[in-house]
Amino acid sequence: MTTRLSLGIGALLLSAALAGCGGSPGTTTSSAPPPASSAAPSSASSGSATASSMATSAAAEMKTASSSAGQIVVDSKGMSLYFFTKDVKDSGKSACVDACLTAWPIFTTTSDAPAVEGVTGKVGTINSPDGKKQVTLNGMPLYYYAKDKAPGDVTGQGVGSVWYLVSPTGEMVKGAAASGY
């Protein structure tokens, strides 16, 4: 029932977008920060690849943004996402635990295949200790920085020389970041 409703809403949004503004792709961001440990749920299902790819900007859980550090990966609200150098690629687990998670909340999804826009790295999920699905990019878990309060904030860049912004290809952005994007 939920899948049918999601597909119906997705089709309706796609129809409105195609009829309305002639395909202008604009993006919007909210000034509200994300919940401490969740991402916006995706309305796309794995069975609707065509509909989800055509309505990506409306349903994308991850997208790209231009920042003072270059192109980076952000969530659907424009909040910056980070890698932790102590994580082990493809290990299926996060090295950030306990108090670390207070400062670096995990980026989660409810989807097995999170929708993306402009992200070319391999997107996946791992199970977090609390049973949520943490999003990964190229086998590395993704996190928020609790001190990033608004879209465009990149204050976590380089913290402790172990936290770095993420490029659309799934690489760590090691360059310095100024005040945001």
Side-chain angles (χ1 to χ4, degrees):
M1 177 85 180
T2 304
T3 302
R4 289 182 190 164
L5 180 60
S6 295
L7 290 173
I9 291 171
L12 182 62
L13 289 173
L14 177 60
S15 296
L18 292 175
C21 59
S24 176
T27 57
T28 59
T29 57
S30 165
S31 62
S37 62
S38 68
S42 172
S43 61
S45 71
S46 59
S48 64
T50 304
S52 70
S53 64
M54 294 175 78
T56 302
S57 61
E61 291 182 72
M62 286 191 324
K63 58 186 179 178
T64 61
S66 180
S67 78
S68 55
Q71 285 291 112
I72 61 168
V73 176
V74 298
D75 74 357
S76 62
K77 296 176 183 163
M79 298 301 292
S80 301
L81 296 171
Y82 297 88
F83 279 144
F84 184 35
T85 61
K86 294 184 180 183
D87 282 328
V88 176
K89 183 177 179 172
D90 296 322
S91 69
K93 63 182 183 175
S94 167
C96 181
V97 295
D98 303 323
C100 174
L101 292 173
T102 302
W104 300 93
I106 64 175
F107 175 51
T108 63
T109 184
T110 57
S111 174
D112 287 329
V116 300
E117 179 183 323
V119 177
T120 58
K122 182 181 176 192
V123 178
T125 62
I126 59 173
N127 291 322
S128 68
D130 61 358
K132 295 180 181 174
K133 291 181 187 177
Q134 183 173 8
V135 180
T136 62
L137 189 54
N138 289 350
M140 293 286 287
L142 295 170
Y143 306 85
Y144 293 107
Y145 184 43
K147 292 184 180 180
D148 284 353
K149 299 298 183 192
D153 288 352
V154 291
T155 61
Q157 176 65 357
V159 168
S161 297
V162 294
W163 293 97
Y164 294 98
L165 293 164
V166 180
S167 78
T169 60
E171 301 299 319
M172 287 185 195
V173 177
K174 296 277 184 136
S179 60
Y181 60 87

